[in-house]
Amino acid sequence: MKPIDRRNFLKNSLLGAAAVSLPGHQALAAQTGARNAPAVNSSPAPGIIDTNVNLFSWPFRALKYRDTNALVTKLKKHRVIEAWSGSFEALFSKDMSGVNARLAAECLGYGPGFLIPFGSVNLAWPDWQEDVRRCHEVHKMPGIRIYPGYQPFDLDHPGMEGLLKMASERGLILQVVFGMEDPRVHHPIINVGPVTFGPLLKAAQGTPNAKVELLHFSGSSQSEDLSHFMMETNTFMDISRLEGNGAVGRMIGSITGLPSARVPVDRIVFGSHAPYFPVETAILKLIESPLDALQLQAIMHGNARRLLPRA
């Protein structure tokens, strides 16, 4: 028997599992009583809205899909129909206006209608309000992304409440990034402190209509704080940092015998953290969690579409 290498084994296993996990195939399998759903279904498989992608180069190592065209091709291969994209440049640059302009141009040049630019502001630099205005009025971005810890501020910054209010008034989504990589592999020249969750809850309570999404959040905050935060209007969380067997199922409370949900399923969205993480990693999290067809559809695209309706 010809041996199969690990790369091909994982690739084939992922594609096969994804096929039978998609809602259309689950429904067909239930109707026919078949042990395995067929690989091809007459109805198109639902697409994925990836709410956590970054463009350009990670400053500390060369990522495989750092080229935007290659990243777009990779995402589309895995049924991603829309990718909300920030910029790695926003982590350390002081020229936020230039960062946002380059991001807008890159999205328009390589993925119009597919790459959705999310600009960034830095509360530690002056005139961040003007950066918000440009993102909204000049670049027509639907949201902004902040990187506390990498950008030199924490969520107890006095400008947070103003940022939330400004984003809410303009109908913008505020994505709050709680990390980019495991602190154990940080380059020694940088010192990224932990991001405290509590102040964000307080700020969100002051602007209950603000659209807030937690990106790369581990869910490690106190259960009561996280549950309370998710009960606020228009708050969501992506799956990119959830770890462990059945992590998504455990978070939404779909595993029998475990504590109740910390986050309702209608507040969980797909996020891959690509290209730093392979997009396959996030897909596998859906496959190995006990999710039914409606839950899969909600996480893959339904919840994100409620957060950002498209004409």
Side-chain angles (χ1 to χ4, degrees), residues 16-266:
V20 300
S21 297
L22 291 171
H25 295 283
Q26 288 184 339
L28 185 58
Q31 293 170 4
T32 61
R35 181 179 298 271
N36 295 310
V40 179
N41 189 5
S42 58
S43 61
I48 296 172
I49 297 177
D50 191 338
T51 68
N52 185 3
V53 170
N54 279 289
L55 304 187
F56 303 112
S57 295
W58 177 246
F60 302 114
R61 64 182 173 91
L63 302 177
K64 182 176 181 181
Y65 294 101
R66 62 190 180 275
D67 175 75
T68 303
N69 189 53
L71 178 60
V72 168
T73 300
K74 179 68 171 178
L75 292 171
K76 288 183 176 180
K77 178 181 177 181
H78 289 289
R79 296 193 177 97
V80 174
I81 58 173
E82 190 172 299
W84 300 0
S85 306
S87 171
F88 282 134
E89 294 183 346
L91 273 67
F92 303 113
S93 177
K94 294 184 71 172
D95 176 21
M96 301 309 299
S97 178
V99 167
N100 294 330
R102 288 189 293 274
L103 174 65
E106 192 82 351
C107 289
L108 184 62
Y110 288 92
F114 177 81
L115 295 175
I116 310 301
F118 275 62
S120 186
V121 302
N122 190 331
L123 296 179
W125 306 148
D127 209 20
W128 58 263
Q129 296 90 341
E130 175 62 13
D131 289 320
V132 174
R133 186 196 69 80
R134 287 198 190 106
C135 285
H136 182 216
E137 297 180 9
V138 178
H139 302 305
K140 310 300 180 183
M141 295 172 174
I144 52 179
R145 187 177 293 185
I146 59 174
Y147 304 82
Y150 288 87
Q151 297 172 327
F153 65 87
D154 199 355
L155 295 176
D156 60 356
H157 189 282
M160 270 303 301
E161 291 187 12
L163 175 59
L164 271 169
K165 183 178 180 180
M166 192 173 184
S168 178
E169 291 172 346
R170 292 175 174 269
L172 300 173
I173 302 166
L174 176 63
Q175 295 184 319
V176 182
V177 182
F178 278 79
M180 295 298 293
E181 64 178 353
D182 190 315
R184 293 171 295 182
V185 299
H186 279 162
H187 192 283
I189 199 173
I190 65 170
N191 181 22
V192 180
V195 181
T196 53
F197 179 75
L200 181 60
L201 171 60
K202 181 179 178 181
Q205 288 174 329
T207 313
N209 292 324
K211 300 177 181 180
V212 180
E213 182 185 354
L214 311 181
L215 294 187
H216 209 53
F217 182 63
S218 66
S220 61
S221 178
Q222 294 181 1
S223 180
E224 184 178 347
D225 283 351
L226 180 59
S227 298
H228 192 189
F229 182 79
M230 284 299 167
M231 294 305 294
E232 303 287 342
T233 303
N234 295 327
T235 54
F236 294 77
M237 171 181 168
D238 90 327
I239 67 172
S240 65
R241 200 174 177 181
L242 298 183
E243 298 179 348
N245 293 335
V248 177
R250 285 187 281 111
M251 184 60 71
I252 67 172
S254 67
I255 300 179
T256 304
L258 292 183
S260 59
R262 300 177 65 196
V263 179
V265 66
D266 63 354

